Amino acid sequence: MLTADVPNTTNRELFAKKPGSGSEENSMQQASKALNLRETTYERTGLIVTILTDDKAPVEVPGMHAINQIIAEEAGPYRQILKDEGIGGLLRAVQ
């Protein structure tokens, strides 16, 4: 098992495999840094990995809606500036 903090978030990723699957910790650390873990694992082992996520968990949905609402409220005035004054007006507004 290997865990890694996700930069600039409060998330942590967990990488796990069956005990005795023949790989050492170093190879697990190298695989976790791969751009596409699923493809890299398949290329190296011929096995399809199951990636589990809680992104669609019911507990996530209210939080995502709340965050989307906050973003919409904060971005609202800037949308109107962009519409009325274009990118130049938007750049002036955020400076």
Side-chain angles (χ1 to χ4, degrees):
M1 180 180 81
L2 178 68
T3 60
D5 290 330
V6 179
N8 303 316
T9 73
T10 58
N11 290 331
R12 177 173 274 266
E13 291 182 343
L14 169 72
F15 301 90
K17 61 182 181 172
K18 290 181 183 178
S21 60
S23 297
E24 296 180 12
E25 186 176 332
N26 276 344
S27 66
M28 184 75 159
Q29 289 173 342
Q30 290 170 353
S32 70
K33 295 177 184 173
L35 292 176
N36 188 327
L37 183 60
R38 185 186 307 263
E39 287 180 14
T40 302
T41 301
Y42 183 75
E43 287 172 8
R44 291 180 182 173
T45 66
L47 301 173
I48 297 174
V49 296
T50 302
I51 297 178
L52 305 173
T53 178
D54 68 347
D55 289 348
K56 305 291 185 208
V59 72
E60 295 282 330
V61 175
M64 288 188 297
H65 286 299
I67 290 170
N68 288 343
Q69 184 62 36
I70 291 168
I71 291 170
E73 290 171 6
E74 294 295 320
Y78 296 107
R79 283 192 197 120
Q80 191 60 45
I81 292 170
L82 180 62
K83 182 179 178 183
D84 296 342
E85 302 176 37
I87 193 72
L90 184 59
L91 291 172
R92 285 188 295 278
V94 296
Q95 289 180 347

